[in-house]
């Protein structure tokens, strides 16, 4: 639960404050990634967001661009970043010189102080209608990777593309998972790329959509990780107690059907909206709290899927904040764990702090996180 400093810490004695900061230092990492979208006009500054996420011990953040303000705000922290190249860059990135110039401008100036681990090239391209854009995708990924090799960064930063769940032709039973036949020529080349570069396959999964479209057929408890009868794969006899794990295993099966068994699958987006239009069934704060809260618990337990029990699932939750300028139905603006003022949209036990005061990167570089927290407390208290 987020608590604003001004309303909380003024009465605390210094001894208690010291214990308070030690508590944060010893708190375990959430083990989950967060999507940090910025399609809004009321979000806190990146330096305040940096403070919030570190107080939550979130160590992995995914951006949709390479915002220099964000990368600078997280300098000298333990937070790992996925940064993004928009679809509008794809044609240019197939040119090695342009790809290298982009990395030299958007990655190299920050990489020494802010840990960048992945560059996503485009987003959900294969389920769009632009055939030419689809043809640009793999050459763009290859161009960015070659540029990383040339700059000596390919062992530290991998290249991937977040897919929509719409690339799947079949998802149940999971052992029969398959990709759409009309996309096979694109996906086959991308899978070869992942093998060659030892990079993961990224996909966005939202069980919310399945429930919203068929609320009378899809059991709500099954999509919310609540106790339920589950489903059994008739081919493998593996039992699934939630939809997300079944979806992940379906992707593994689809990849295997194309001849590969050594490509890890990561969920680059998943989440549940706290509000929606009248026809968006299930979009409530209660359901969002159950979905994300139960998912967090499973992540902390390092759970794997039934087909990959020894491989902990890797997930980036969507999203950090509600984004008031996102187009589309109301749900699109209500996926956030937090309101822009740092107040939790619902309570799932997260306790973080969004300072009212802004701190420059220089100040953050000069002080450790605990020292900065104490300094803020001291200033407000006195």
């Amino acid at each position: 639960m987020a608590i604003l400093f001004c309303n909380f810490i003024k009465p605390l004695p210094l001894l208690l404050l010291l214990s308070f900061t030690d508590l944060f230092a010893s708190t375990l990492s959430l083990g989950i990634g967060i999507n940090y979208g910025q399609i809004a006009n009321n979000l806190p500054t990146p330096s305040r967001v940096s403070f919030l996420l570190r107080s939550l011990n979130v160590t992995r953040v995914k951006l949709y661009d390479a915002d220099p303000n964000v990368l600078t705000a997280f300098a000298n922290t333990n937070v790992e970043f996925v940064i993004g190249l928009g679809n509008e860059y794809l044609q240019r990135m197939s040119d090695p010189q342009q790809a290298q110039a982009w990395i030299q401008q958007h990655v190299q100036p920050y990489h020494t102080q802010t840990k960048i681990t992945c560059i996503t090239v485009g987003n959900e391209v294969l389920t769009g209608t632009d055939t030419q854009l689809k043809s640009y995708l793999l050459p763009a990924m290859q161009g960015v990777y070659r540029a990383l090799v040339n700059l000596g960064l390919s062992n530290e930063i991998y290249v991937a593309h977040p897919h929509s769940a719409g690339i799947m032709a079949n998802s149940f039973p999971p052992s029969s998972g398959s990709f759409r036949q009309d996309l096979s020529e694109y996906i086959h080349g991308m899978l070869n790329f992942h093998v060659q570069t030892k990079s993961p396959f990224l996909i966005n999964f939202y069980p919310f959509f399945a429930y919203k479209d068929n609320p009378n057929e899809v059991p709500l408890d099954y999509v919310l990780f609540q106790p339920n009868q589950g489903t059994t794969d008739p081919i493998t006899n593996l039992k699934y107690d939630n939809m997300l794990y079944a979806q992940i295993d379906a992707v593994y099966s689809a990849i295997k059907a194309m001849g590969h068994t050594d490509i890890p699958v990561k969920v680059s987006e998943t989440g549940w909206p706290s509000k929606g239009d009248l026809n968006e069934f299930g979009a409530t704060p209660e359901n969002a709290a159950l979905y994300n809260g139960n998912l967090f618990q499973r992540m902390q337990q390092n759970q794997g899927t039934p087909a990959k029990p020894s491989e902990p699932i890797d997930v980036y939750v969507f999203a950090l904040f509600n984004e008031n300028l996102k187009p589309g139905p109301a749900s699109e603006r209500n996926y956030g764990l937090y309101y822009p003022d740092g107040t939790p949209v619902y309570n799932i036990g997260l306790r973080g702090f969004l300072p009212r005061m802004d701190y420059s990167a220089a100040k953050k570089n000069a002080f450790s996180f605990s020292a900065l927290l104490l300094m803020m407390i001291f200033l407000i208290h006195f």
Side-chain angles (χ1 to χ4, degrees), residues 81-98:
F81 272 87
V82 175
I83 62 173
L85 265 165
N87 293 346
E88 67 274 14
Y89 287 95
L90 295 188
Q91 184 177 10
R92 283 176 277 168
M93 290 302 104
S94 60
D95 180 341
Q97 291 185 337
Q98 293 196 50

Side-chain angles (χ1 to χ4, degrees), residues 7 12 14 31 44-45 51 55 57 84 94 99 110 151 153 180 215 259 275 280 282 299 302 309 332 351 370-371 381:
N7 297 330
L12 293 179
L14 183 58
T45 62
F51 201 100
S55 74
N57 275 327
S94 60
Y110 312 101
L151 295 169
L153 297 172
R180 282 169 39 185
K275 186 186 297 184
E280 294 189 286
M299 291 288 293
N302 289 321
E332 287 294 318
R351 288 184 287 183
S370 295
H381 185 70

Side-chain angles (χ1 to χ4, degrees), residues 73-128:
F74 281 84
N76 299 319
T77 68
N78 292 322
V79 180
E80 299 180 358
F81 272 87
V82 175
I83 62 173
L85 265 165
N87 293 346
E88 67 274 14
Y89 287 95
L90 295 188
Q91 184 177 10
R92 283 176 277 168
M93 290 302 104
S94 60
D95 180 341
Q97 291 185 337
Q98 293 196 50
Q100 186 158 318
W102 189 90
I103 292 171
Q104 288 173 323
Q105 179 182 350
H106 296 93
V107 177
Q108 280 192 313
Y110 312 101
H111 183 58
T112 56
Q113 293 185 312
T114 302
K115 189 171 184 181
I116 298 170
T117 60
C118 171
I119 299 174
T120 57
V121 179
N123 188 61
E124 298 188 341
V125 168
L126 297 187
T127 48

Side-chain angles (χ1 to χ4, degrees), residues 196-272:
Q196 293 163 5
T197 63
K198 296 181 173 61
S199 55
F201 187 90
L202 306 185
I203 191 161
N204 302 333
F205 276 136
Y206 289 90
F208 163 71
F209 293 142
Y211 178 77
K212 174 182 71 71
D213 293 340
N214 296 284
N216 296 323
E217 298 180 17
V218 177
L220 183 59
D221 287 341
Y222 179 65
V223 294
L224 294 179
F225 304 97
Q226 290 289 89
N228 66 95
Q229 293 182 345
T231 60
T232 300
D233 187 315
I235 299 173
T236 62
N237 207 35
L238 293 174
K239 185 172 181 179
Y240 291 84
D241 66 357
N242 70 86
M243 180 176 286
L244 181 64
Y245 286 15
Q247 290 176 316
I248 294 171
D249 278 350
V251 176
Y252 276 117
S253 296
I255 292 174
K256 184 177 181 180
M258 284 197 159
H260 299 286
T261 58
D262 52 354
I263 301 174
V265 174
K266 296 188 178 187
V267 179
S268 41
E269 286 183 21
T270 193
W272 196 284

Side-chain angles (χ1 to χ4, degrees), residues 4-5 47-48 51-52 353-359 376:
L4 295 178
F5 280 118
S47 62
R48 295 174 68 207
F51 201 100
L52 170 65
F353 295 85
L354 182 68
R356 294 185 186 274
M357 301 174 66
D358 204 359
Y359 285 83
M376 291 182 64

Side-chain angles (χ1 to χ4, degrees), residues 25 67 163 176 202 238 257:
D67 188 338
H163 295 278
S176 297
L202 306 185
L238 293 174

